[in-house]
Amino acid sequence: MTGYRNGAISHWMSAPPDPGRAAERRTTPLPEEEQDLVIVGGGLTGLWAAHTASLENPGWRITVLEAREVGYGASGRNGGWMSPLIPGNRAVYARAAQARGRDGVEAVRVFQREMITAVDDTLRLLEEEGIEADQHRGGHLKVATTPAAMRRLERAHAADLAFGYEESELSLLDAAGVAERVAVGPALGGLFTRATARVDPAKLVRGLADLVERRGVRIAEGTTATRVDPGAVATDRGTVRAATVFVCLEAYSGTVAGTAPGLGPRRVIPVNSSMIVTRPLPDEVWERIGWRGRECLGDAAHTFVYAQRTADGRIAIGGRGTPYAYASGTPGQGVVDARTVRTLSERLRLFFPGVEFGIEHAWRGAIGVTRDWCAGVTFDPATRVGVVRGFAGHGVTATRLAARTLVDRAAGRDTVATRLPWNDHDSGRWEPEPLRWTGVHGMYRLFGVADHWEESRGSRETSLIARFGARLAGLAE
C-alpha cells in the first residue's frame, strides 16, 4: 500500500498553527524572575493545569516549557475521544482505596462521576470560549464481532453500572440496534455510552494554548527540560526558578531526571498507538454506512481499535500496531510500519465490507503506561513538585481532572479531586530490558492469538489465552 503521507506528527497536526503565535512561542525568552508555577510539558495536562491555576490565581507568573511544539506528543496525535473512561483498572483503584480504609467501590464510583463531569465541563468551556475543535457529543459505540466479545460487553455493562454509571447513560444493543447507528457488517451487538464526545485533538490543544496565553501564561516551545529539583527546572536553554513545579510529560516522563515522587526510571513506558485516516468519503458511502450520530466507534476485541467520523467526512481509525520500542524509544515524527497500516486498513474492510477506502495519512504516537496501567497524581508539599503520568490512552478527558487535582493539592485543599484513588497511587516499576520488551510484545501477541481463536471457533467465552495475558499485564478487573 503506497501513496499516503506517513508520519509528520499526525493528520490533525498537519494543519499549520497560527504563524505569529508559533514564532512567538519559539522565541519566548525564559523568565529571569522566579515563577509562581512552572509546568514541564505543553500537552493537554500542562495546559489544563496552566488554565486552572491562572483562573484561581490571576496574578501568578506561570510558564509552560515544551520541548518541541504544543501538541507534539499524544495530545496532538490521539483518536479524538473525549471519553469518561477512567484511566486505569477500576479494581486496582478500588483495592488501593480499600487499603487506605475507604470503601473501594464507592471511591471508584466518585471517580467515574468526576470523569463524566469533566466531559461536561470541557464541552461547556469550549462553547463559552469560542474554541472550535470539531466537538460533537455523539457517544461511544463499542461493537462485538464475536459471541465472546458480546459476552464481554454484557459483563462490561454490569461492571459499569456497579462502578458509577447510571442506567440512563448506557445501552446494550443487539445487531439491529448497532446497525441503526453504524452499519458495521459483522457486528452482533454493542454497548453504547452517551457521555463521550468527538474532537479534533490538535484544534483542542492549540485552542487551549491560545486561551491560556490570553490569560497571561508564558509558553516557551523548543525548550527541553532535563532535570527537576525543588525550586528549579534545568533546561537546554538555562534554568528556570519556580516556587512550584508540575511535571506533565506522560510518555516522555523518562526524559527528565529528578527525585520527586512519580519521577525516576521505569515508572512509565511509552506504548505506541498508530492511526490512519482515509480520504473524504463520498455521500453515497456515508448513506450506506450511516454513522449520522458521529459516535466514537470501537470494538471489543482484545487487540481493539478506535475510530471516529471526522468533521470533513473521513474515517480516522487507530490501534496498537507495533506496541513498544526497545529501551522505551519514543515515536519521533510518527512514521508507521507498513504492516500496521495494512492491519488497520483490514479492520476497516472488516467493519464495512465492499467499501473502497483510500488512505491519506498514517502516524503514530506514544501513550504513557505504568506497570499496573493506572494513572497516578503525586505532589510533595516539601519540595512543591507535582507529577502526573500514566493515562494509558484515556487522557483527553482525564488530563483536565488531573490538572484540577494537581492545583488543589498544591493549594493544600481537601477536595473531591484530592481524595480520588489516583492520588499517590504507586504502580510499581517496569522490569528492566530485555524483559520489558519481551513482556509487552508477548502480551500483545497473546491478545492477537486470542482474537484469532475466538473468531475462528465462534466461542461464547473469552479465550483462556486472553485471560492469562490480561492477568499477566494487570488489566483484569
Side-chain angles (χ1 to χ4, degrees), residues 56-89:
E56 295 192 5
N57 307 279
W60 269 21
R61 292 167 299 204
I62 302 173
T63 294
V64 176
L65 306 176
E66 165 55 43
R68 298 299 186 98
E69 63 178 291
V70 163
Y72 177 84
S75 296
R77 308 188 193 213
N78 62 75
W81 287 23
M82 191 182 294
S83 161
L85 287 168
I86 287 176
N89 187 315

Side-chain angles (χ1 to χ4, degrees), residues 401-436:
L401 182 55
R404 179 158 65 86
T405 305
L406 266 183
V407 172
D408 281 355
R409 290 194 63 176
R413 289 190 287 263
D414 179 16
T415 65
V416 171
T418 64
R419 293 191 296 272
L420 295 176
W422 62 359
N423 283 283
D424 300 317
H425 179 70
D426 184 3
S427 297
R429 295 177 186 267
W430 284 92
E431 293 78 1
E433 298 289 18
L435 294 177
R436 187 159 73 243

Side-chain angles (χ1 to χ4, degrees), residues 175-360:
V178 171
E180 287 179 6
R181 291 184 172 277
V182 188
V184 178
L188 304 178
L191 177 60
F192 180 64
T193 307
R194 290 175 173 79
T196 302
R198 174 210 73 186
V199 295
D200 178 316
K203 290 180 180 179
L204 174 62
V205 72
R206 287 171 172 170
L208 185 55
D210 292 346
L211 175 60
V212 299
E213 284 183 320
R214 292 197 297 270
R215 296 199 55 80
V217 173
R218 180 195 308 249
I219 298 177
E221 294 183 333
T223 306
T224 302
T226 56
R227 183 175 180 86
V228 173
D229 291 304
V233 178
T235 80
D236 59 350
R237 297 176 56 203
T239 297
V240 183
R241 293 174 291 117
T244 301
V245 179
F246 293 162
V247 181
C248 307
L249 289 173
E250 187 54 348
Y252 298 83
S253 296
T255 63
V256 174
T259 58
L263 289 180
R266 307 204 316 267
R267 292 284 188 182
V268 179
I269 64 170
V271 171
N272 290 317
S273 201
S274 301
M275 294 198 72
I276 59 173
V277 67
T278 68
R279 299 186 181 96
L281 304 182
D283 291 343
E284 56 268 26
V285 171
W286 284 119
E287 284 296 319
R288 176 177 172 182
I289 292 175
W291 214 340
R292 287 173 291 277
R294 288 168 170 76
E295 299 88 344
C296 293
L297 178 66
D299 67 354
H302 303 294
T303 53
F304 62 87
V305 295
Y306 49 92
Q308 66 153 279
R309 175 179 175 174
T310 68
D312 60 351
R314 308 167 188 267
I315 297 176
I317 183 170
R320 292 294 180 261
T322 302
Y324 175 72
Y326 191 83
S328 296
T330 50
Q333 289 293 96
V335 174
V336 184
D337 62 280
R339 181 179 65 82
T340 297
V341 175
R342 185 167 58 250
T343 298
L344 292 172
S345 300
E346 288 170 354
R347 191 63 65 93
L348 267 182
R349 289 194 290 272
L350 171 68
F351 279 10
F352 308 112
V355 176
E356 292 295 324
F357 297 100
I359 305 305
E360 183 160 304

Side-chain angles (χ1 to χ4, degrees), residues 96-154:
Q98 191 171 8
R100 297 177 184 178
R102 299 167 57 197
D103 182 329
V105 173
E106 180 59 24
V108 176
R109 288 180 61 86
V110 172
F111 199 169
Q112 184 61 75
R113 301 315 304 174
E114 289 297 297
M115 286 292 296
I116 293 171
T117 298
V119 178
D120 298 338
D121 290 346
T122 301
L123 291 174
R124 187 180 308 112
L125 178 137
L126 296 182
E127 181 177 358
E128 291 173 352
E129 296 292 345
I131 297 175
E132 178 47 61
D134 296 340
Q135 61 267 28
H136 176 82
R137 194 170 212 166
H140 167 202
L141 178 60
K142 192 174 187 179
V143 300
T145 59
T146 66
M150 193 64 218
R151 287 292 296 274
R152 287 195 292 276
L153 290 186
E154 291 166 356

